Amino acid sequence: MTAPGRRSSTFTRLLRHGFTDPSAAERLLDAVELAPVRDDPVLLEALGATADPDLALHGLVRLLEAQPDPTARRELLDTVIAAKPLRDRLLGVLGASEALADHLARHSGDWQALVTYEPRDLHRGVEEFESGLARAADPVSLRVAYRRCLLSIAARDVCGTIDVAETAAELADLATATLRAALALAEAAAPEDAARCRLAVIAMGKCGGHELNYVSDVDVIFVAEPAEGTDPADEAKALRSATSLASQMMRICSETTVEGSIWPVDANLRPEGRNGPLVRTLSSHLAYYQRWAKTWEFQALLKARPVAGDPALGGAYVAALQPLVWQASERENFVADVQKMRRRVVENIPAAEIDRQLKLGPGGLRDVEFAVQLLQLVHGRADTSLHSGTTLDALKALAAGGYVGRVDAAQLDEAYRFLRSMEHRIQLHRLRRTHLVPEDEADLRRLGRSLGLRNDPVTALLREWKRHAAVVRRLHEKLFYRPLLDAVAQLGPGETRLRPDAARERLVALGYADPAAALRHLEALASGVTRKAAIQRTLLPVLLGWFADSADPDAGLLNFRKVSDALGKTPWYLRLLRDEGAAAENLARVLSAGRLAPDLLMRAPEAVALLGDGDAGGLAPRGRAQLEQEMLAAVRRADDAVQAVTAARGVRRRELFRTAAADIVGSYGTEAQPVEADEGALVDRVGGAVSDLTAATLAGTLRAVVRDGWGDTLPTRFAVIGMGRFGGHELGYGSDADVLFVHEPREGVDEREAADAANKVVAEMRRLLQVPSADPPLIIDAGLRPEGKNGPLVRTLKSYEAYYRRWSHAWESHALLRAEFVAGDEDLGRRFTELVDPLRYPARGLSEEAVREIRRLKARMESERLPRGADPRLHAKLGPGGLSDVEWTVQLMQLRHGHAVPGLRTTRTRQALAAAVAAGLVSEEDAATLDEAWVLASRVRNAVMLVRGRAGDTFPTDPRELAAVGRYLGHGPGHAGDMLDAYRRTTRRARATMEALFYSD
């Protein structure tokens, strides 16, 4: 009866000590190897203190089983029970690392390496590790000795004797000693090669930075020279010998043997990467970095450190290249290049892994390292205290120099240490290279316990991980910008002021062309002790980063100051930016994307409220009915036509700003809203919004003019017909309103009186909509009317009918494809469109003569209307594959087949093209080619207007304006050439498709 009771009691004790499989643990404790200590409470307590008591017990039994005889087994057990330092170290390793438990089972005497507890053992360096590897005579014994040294580091790590930074430094020192031992083996195997050259091994990456992981590639660069006393002309022979030695050294470390491998040695950070020679001379290295190196290569050199081979040559390498590192921030697009590389790293993470990525994902280790390195490169040119390859040391120096706030640095240091500790313990388990947080609950439990989280370790681990990742995400953005404010703002006691020259350096690195002006703006915005200044100091660090992400950060900051000056006394402005997440970033994007949106905003700064996500905000376009209702209400409240149209134009300005802001935010993307993937949807949204707004403005203006001159009723019915891109719902920001005016005298009204009234209405509408004011004008263009500029501005419906019956030309039928009622008498507008339907959708299609006339007109337009000196390939409207090519191709299909295919009876290009596909008139591939070109050309025109503030059909020549257009179109800094190439490529394909379709019978 006692056995079951004891078993039950042991089972409970095992659960209490953290065992997850008490039954299996009981069986192991009953093993003969543990018989002498089975009931010793010290052992159970020690096992319960490990990361995984089950794993530790299993490893201990395996180690005991591996002892060569009972005497050795008894010695191990006695030492475990009697010596607490060994007990904690050995069981700590066995509970954290299956891989090291395997090593101990294979090499049963290596546990003795954990017995000694001398002060010099607490913090080992290269010398101690070299001593530990000294007896290794071949690659296999080198691996065994390496694991023995690694065992000592892991033991002190899991016991907390050394912290995460010291662990990483010792791992780097062990790697240094291992590289030296491997090179010595290579030289011993090829003494002639060793005698012919001087070879130095330069550690890069985490090894160079004294912050290596348990399992990581060891990044190196090799530099060599002929040996002293040899003929300098034998450089080629010396390089061949050095290459042979370097290759052999890499194989010794990397190849898999019966004892596994140590780690891969990676030389891909060398000049030209894997395509370049493995070994170069110092002069060859220097020439490459002076002429060809990219920004990221100088960033990598931050961590360069000679570790093996010829120490004098290694020292000369670092001395020669370090000055180039600290000049890197002067390179064009330096910050943009670094930021782009960080974004590329994130973009390349598989979607299934991004939420588990400890190193590369958002809020991961790389965010800390990139931010610190960026600050080092910017400020290290003038401050040698920042010249450290170790992330935490560099962060400490940045805080001491005032480049990073002390609180921010402390939070970042804590987060980095926690994330590195997670990374170390994840890798230590099986000694595999991974940066993914495990998904298995048992793995998460062991990981949490290894970090000291004993109460509900899985939940606590995930909570702490997410908390630290959030801190990193926030500070990664803030870190680079915050100290700029401290250079100009009033600081609290004890805070460190960033020197003005350092602030200017950083502004230049960010892309600000006039750092002195930028500092003045910051001072004006953020100085003082008022609540307003305090909120600005909170907002500006992030805003500066968003401005720097544009092509013209100076303009963004200047515009922000103007808006803030205009709205500074209103209680809601800064509160909106502070409290509504989207508003501040939306405003930053809008203010730095070009001239149009800021100009619209400056004329009525209260429109900032549209950028928020509260009741007053919202960038979604408003429908025509809603706009028209507001316009007509404003007209009713006005005293006369001038005041009424002024109010209508004010509404138009606000809504143009809403549309432009939504377009910019959709094209740039924000933290809350990613870039709109469907570029066609962006174009449709702008075209529909601006067309609806123009129609509502015309309706309001018409009502105002009629009311002012005739009261409630005009002597003639009057309608406005939209034409061209207006009728097609495809207006851009800079488009005129193409229209036709039609009227019909009311019963009993003289035709002359009716015609005079209609002409006065048109003249007054055009005048009032173009009166110089703070609001943008709306140009009404009636050039598509019968007889063109020589014909009357207004005709009766009967006059249109008579003209089209007798005199209509093919081009007029072509133009009427876009005709759509937009304002005025709806019944008259409907009857007008019914009148022209037989012309634009002829029952028998087009005659051959009409087709030839349209083709002749197209050719003449291309030759005569293209501006002199313009590059035809880059003209969005008239160039090959541009808007005209696509629209004329689609419209010819509408004229030919519109009567038979109802879907073609639309004024909209993209809808007609889709209908042509559905009807089998064009292949899906050809339609996609035409659609892509049309959308791109439309976006180019919109971008030019947004950036320059005036309409244009060609790409700007000013580099900054061209870069801004590129940014709108999704091309990063320094890629304007790629943008132009992409445009030419797209339109070239469209032109070929157009020629095949437009000229086909």
Side-chain angles (χ1 to χ4, degrees):
M1 295 295 293
T2 57
R6 190 180 79 245
R7 180 178 175 80
S8 177
S9 173
T10 303
F11 189 94
T12 303
R13 287 170 59 209
L14 290 170
L15 278 176
R16 190 170 63 247
H17 282 93
F19 287 83
T20 59
D21 189 353
S23 297
E26 277 189 294
R27 289 193 296 272
L28 289 173
L29 286 170
D30 286 338
V32 64
E33 290 82 8
L34 286 176
V37 295
R38 177 181 298 123
D39 297 319
D40 194 315
V42 171
L43 177 62
L44 205 56
E45 290 288 341
L47 288 168
T50 65
D52 187 338
D54 300 86
L55 186 65
L57 177 58
H58 184 259
L60 179 61
V61 171
R62 289 180 65 203
L63 178 58
L64 287 166
E65 290 173 343
Q67 297 306 305
D69 52 57
T71 303
R73 192 176 302 129
R74 187 69 210 185
E75 179 188 1
L76 171 58
L77 279 176
D78 288 347
T79 311
V80 166
I81 298 302
K84 185 179 187 320
L86 169 75
R87 183 169 63 245
D88 291 343
R89 291 181 180 188
L90 177 59
L91 296 182
V93 167
L94 293 175
S97 178
E98 279 186 24
L100 289 178
D102 290 343
H103 172 84
L104 285 169
R106 288 195 309 273
H107 304 279
S108 59
D110 278 4
W111 67 271
Q112 299 278 1
L114 305 180
V115 172
T116 55
Y117 194 73
E118 302 297 331
R120 65 186 177 85
D121 293 315
L122 297 183
H123 302 291
R124 292 187 170 188
V126 175
E127 185 178 340
E128 287 79 14
F129 291 126
E130 283 189 300
S131 176
L133 302 175
R135 295 183 181 179
D138 55 60
V140 173
S141 59
L142 180 61
R143 280 152 176 70
V144 175
Y146 174 83
R147 286 285 196 279
R148 191 180 302 120
C149 293
L150 190 66
L151 183 65
S152 72
I153 297 175
R156 286 174 291 116
D157 174 21
V158 298
C159 291
T161 307
I162 54 178
D163 66 17
V164 65
E166 292 167 329
T167 301
E170 287 197 19
L171 289 167
D173 285 342
L174 175 56
T176 297
T178 305
L179 289 171
R180 292 178 182 178
L183 182 58
L185 291 175
E187 289 175 338
E192 292 184 0
D193 285 335
R196 195 175 287 131
C197 65
R198 298 164 60 208
L199 174 65
V201 183
I202 312 298
M204 304 287 285
K206 282 186 159 41
C207 183
H210 251 107
E211 50 190 19
L212 197 61
N213 299 328
Y214 275 102
V215 186
S216 173
D217 291 357
V218 171
D219 296 310
V220 299
I221 285 177
F222 297 105
V223 57
E225 298 288 346
E228 293 181 3
T230 61
D231 187 348
D234 288 340
E235 181 180 290
K237 290 183 179 179
L239 285 177
R240 282 196 296 273
S241 294
T243 301
S244 177
L245 291 172
S247 300
Q248 179 62 11
M249 186 203 82
M250 293 172 70
R251 281 193 294 272
I252 289 171
C253 295
S254 306
E255 284 184 348
T256 301
T257 69
V258 292
E259 288 292 336
S261 67
I262 302 177
W263 18 244
V265 177
D266 188 342
N268 287 336
L269 291 178
R270 67 186 183 270
E272 300 180 79
R274 64 185 61 192
N275 296 321
L278 182 63
V279 183
R280 290 174 182 256
T281 62
L282 178 55
S283 61
S284 176
H285 275 286
L286 195 57
Y288 173 84
Y289 283 105
Q290 287 172 334
R291 295 190 62 188
W292 308 112
K294 296 179 174 63
T295 298
W296 70 264
E297 293 178 279
F298 293 105
Q299 187 178 354
L301 283 173
L302 267 174
K303 297 183 179 293
R305 177 172 66 93
V307 291
D310 191 299
L313 180 56
Y317 174 90
V318 172
L321 292 180
Q322 283 300 297
L324 300 181
V325 173
W326 305 111
Q327 295 167 12
S329 62
E330 301 173 10
R331 295 163 64 92
E332 186 177 359
N333 297 319
F334 162 71
V335 170
D337 285 346
V338 175
Q339 291 174 335
K340 179 181 176 182
M341 184 166 68
R342 175 68 190 116
R343 285 193 295 268
R344 189 186 301 128
V345 168
V346 175
E347 289 166 0
N348 288 334
I349 301 172
E353 295 182 2
I354 193 164
D355 291 333
R356 298 167 52 215
Q357 254 290 351
L358 198 60
K359 176 182 178 181
L360 303 178
L365 293 162
R366 190 58 61 87
D367 272 353
V368 182
E369 293 158 1
F370 263 66
V372 168
Q373 290 164 19
L374 199 54
L375 288 170
Q376 284 183 276
L377 290 168
V378 170
H379 299 296
R381 181 178 48 176
D383 189 345
T384 57
S385 72
L386 304 181
H387 294 192
S388 171
T390 306
T391 300
L392 291 177
D393 289 348
L395 180 59
K396 183 178 179 181
L398 286 164
Y403 305 101
V404 177
R406 286 192 175 91
V407 173
D408 289 347
Q411 290 181 334
L412 211 54
D413 182 281
E414 180 189 6
Y416 188 74
R417 288 174 183 273
F418 182 85
L419 296 175
R420 282 304 299 271
S421 296
M422 281 185 68
E423 183 182 45
H424 278 185
R425 301 300 163 78
I426 290 170
Q427 293 184 349
L428 181 60
H429 180 222
R430 291 191 174 92
L431 287 182
R432 291 177 183 170
R433 183 188 179 196
T434 180
H435 308 287
L436 295 178
V437 177
E439 295 178 295
D440 181 75
E441 186 164 348
D443 290 333
L444 290 171
R445 181 177 184 275
R446 183 186 61 257
L447 179 57
R449 285 174 58 90
S450 77
L451 296 171
L453 305 171
R454 296 306 169 96
N455 294 324
D456 194 0
V458 175
T459 302
L461 171 70
L462 296 177
R463 182 178 63 245
E464 285 298 292
W465 172 36
K466 296 303 181 186
R467 179 176 72 84
H468 286 295
V471 168
V472 171
R473 272 199 306 272
R474 176 174 59 83
L475 293 181
H476 171 70
E477 296 296 330
K478 178 182 177 183
L479 188 64
F480 195 59
Y481 310 113
R482 177 80 230 184
L484 289 171
L485 297 178
D486 296 344
V488 295
Q490 181 170 331
L491 304 178
E495 293 186 25
T496 306
R497 183 182 296 273
L498 181 62
R499 300 186 312 277
D501 59 332
R504 280 193 295 272
E505 280 179 11
R506 193 174 305 175
L507 283 164
V508 170
L510 281 168
Y512 287 82
D514 189 350
L519 283 174
R520 289 195 299 273
H521 298 325
L522 292 176
E523 186 170 12
L525 289 163
S527 291
V529 294
T530 65
R531 182 169 180 77
K532 182 177 83 169
I535 296 176
Q536 287 281 22
R537 287 195 291 273
T538 302
L539 292 169
L540 276 164
V542 184
L543 288 170
L544 285 170
W546 288 325
F547 294 147
D549 191 37
S550 73
D552 194 351
D554 298 82
L557 181 56
L558 172 61
N559 289 331
F560 179 70
R561 181 180 176 185
K562 289 178 179 177
V563 173
S564 296
D565 288 346
L567 295 175
K569 294 182 180 179
T570 59
W572 56 267
Y573 167 61
L574 289 175
R575 189 169 64 242
L576 170 81
L577 299 185
R578 182 194 63 193
D579 297 341
E580 295 197 20
E585 187 174 3
N586 289 346
L587 180 61
R589 299 301 184 199
V590 166
L591 293 180
S592 57
R595 295 179 184 175
L596 178 66
D599 286 349
L600 293 169
L601 182 60
M602 297 308 169
R603 292 163 182 167
E606 66 276 3
V608 165
L610 299 175
L611 300 171
D613 45 20
D615 294 337
L619 294 178
R622 301 166 74 202
R624 181 182 299 190
Q626 191 178 4
L627 291 168
E628 193 168 317
Q629 183 179 11
E630 183 180 2
M631 296 271 191
L632 294 176
V635 168
R636 282 194 298 270
R637 291 192 297 269
D639 294 332
D640 55 33
V642 172
Q643 191 180 93
V645 176
T646 298
R649 288 176 66 180
V651 174
R652 177 172 178 264
R653 178 201 59 237
R654 183 198 68 211
E655 295 303 319
L656 277 175
F657 172 75
R658 188 198 303 268
T659 302
D663 189 19
I664 290 166
V665 170
S667 298
Y668 274 60
T670 64
E671 289 182 3
Q673 176 181 328
V675 174
E676 172 64 65
D678 185 354
E679 295 183 350
L682 281 173
V683 171
D684 291 344
R685 203 172 301 143
V686 171
V690 178
S691 299
D692 285 346
L693 179 56
T694 301
T697 305
L698 290 177
T701 304
L702 175 59
R703 177 69 61 85
V705 170
V706 170
R707 192 191 66 171
D708 205 43
W710 293 271
D712 292 336
T713 307
L714 190 67
T716 186
R717 295 180 181 86
F718 188 90
V720 184
I721 309 299
M723 299 288 284
R725 300 182 76 79
F726 183 18
H729 297 255
E730 296 163 359
L731 283 180
Y733 299 110
S735 301
D736 296 344
D738 289 319
V739 298
L740 297 178
F741 297 108
V742 57
H743 78 102
E744 184 178 64
R746 296 186 184 277
E747 292 182 8
V749 176
D750 179 70
E751 286 198 7
R752 181 174 293 278
E753 179 189 353
D756 287 345
N759 278 289
K760 286 179 181 177
V761 167
V762 171
E764 190 66 359
M765 285 179 68
R766 297 178 81 181
R767 184 185 73 81
L768 290 174
L769 288 171
Q770 297 178 46
V771 169
S773 76
D775 301 313
L778 175 56
I779 307 299
I780 296 177
D781 187 346
L784 292 176
R785 64 187 183 271
E787 301 178 81
K789 294 181 179 179
N790 297 320
L793 270 175
V794 190
R795 288 177 182 262
T796 63
L797 186 62
K798 288 182 179 179
S799 175
Y800 276 108
E801 182 181 9
Y803 175 85
Y804 288 136
R805 187 176 62 249
R806 296 185 61 192
W807 309 109
S808 176
H809 298 284
W811 72 265
E812 289 174 305
S813 297
H814 187 194
L816 287 169
L817 285 166
R818 303 287 208 129
E820 182 172 289
F821 166 77
V822 293
D825 189 298
E826 189 171 352
D827 178 67
L828 180 61
R830 176 186 56 77
R831 285 186 284 133
F832 177 87
T833 55
E834 289 175 353
L835 167 69
V836 301
D837 276 351
L839 291 169
R840 53 184 177 177
Y841 312 127
R844 297 181 181 179
L846 284 183
S847 67
E848 289 302 315
E849 177 57 34
V851 171
R852 283 195 294 272
E853 182 183 347
I854 288 173
R855 289 170 177 168
R856 281 196 301 270
L857 284 170
K858 177 75 172 74
R860 192 173 73 191
M861 184 178 69
E862 290 179 10
S863 62
E864 294 179 1
R865 293 180 58 186
L866 197 68
R868 182 174 298 175
D871 182 350
R873 296 172 302 166
L874 296 176
H875 198 280
K877 181 178 181 181
L878 301 176
L883 294 172
S884 174
D885 272 3
V886 177
E887 289 168 2
W888 281 61
T889 302
V890 173
Q891 289 158 10
L892 184 58
M893 284 188 277
Q894 289 180 282
L895 288 166
R896 283 175 150 178
H897 306 286
H899 181 78
V901 182
L904 290 174
R905 297 174 208 162
T906 174
T907 61
R908 308 183 187 207
T909 302
R910 300 186 74 209
Q911 283 187 8
L913 187 56
V917 173
L921 300 175
V922 61
S923 69
E924 289 188 7
E925 182 181 357
D926 285 346
T929 299
L930 294 175
D931 186 71
E932 181 186 11
W934 188 89
V935 167
L936 178 57
S938 298
R939 295 204 76 216
V940 168
R941 295 180 94 201
N942 286 343
V944 170
M945 184 66 186
L946 285 170
V947 169
R948 303 180 69 189
R950 60 181 187 273
D953 293 316
T954 59
F955 289 88
T957 55
D958 177 80
R960 182 156 281 197
E961 290 180 347
L962 186 63
V965 169
R967 185 69 181 82
Y968 172 86
L969 295 177
H971 298 272
H975 288 278
D978 293 341
M979 170 184 65
L980 297 179
D981 288 343
Y983 180 84
R984 292 188 189 100
R985 201 162 46 243
T986 300
T987 53
R988 187 165 58 244
R989 289 196 301 266
R991 178 64 180 194
T993 301
M994 171 266 182
E995 289 179 346
L997 295 173
F998 187 74
Y999 293 107
S1000 168
D1001 293 326

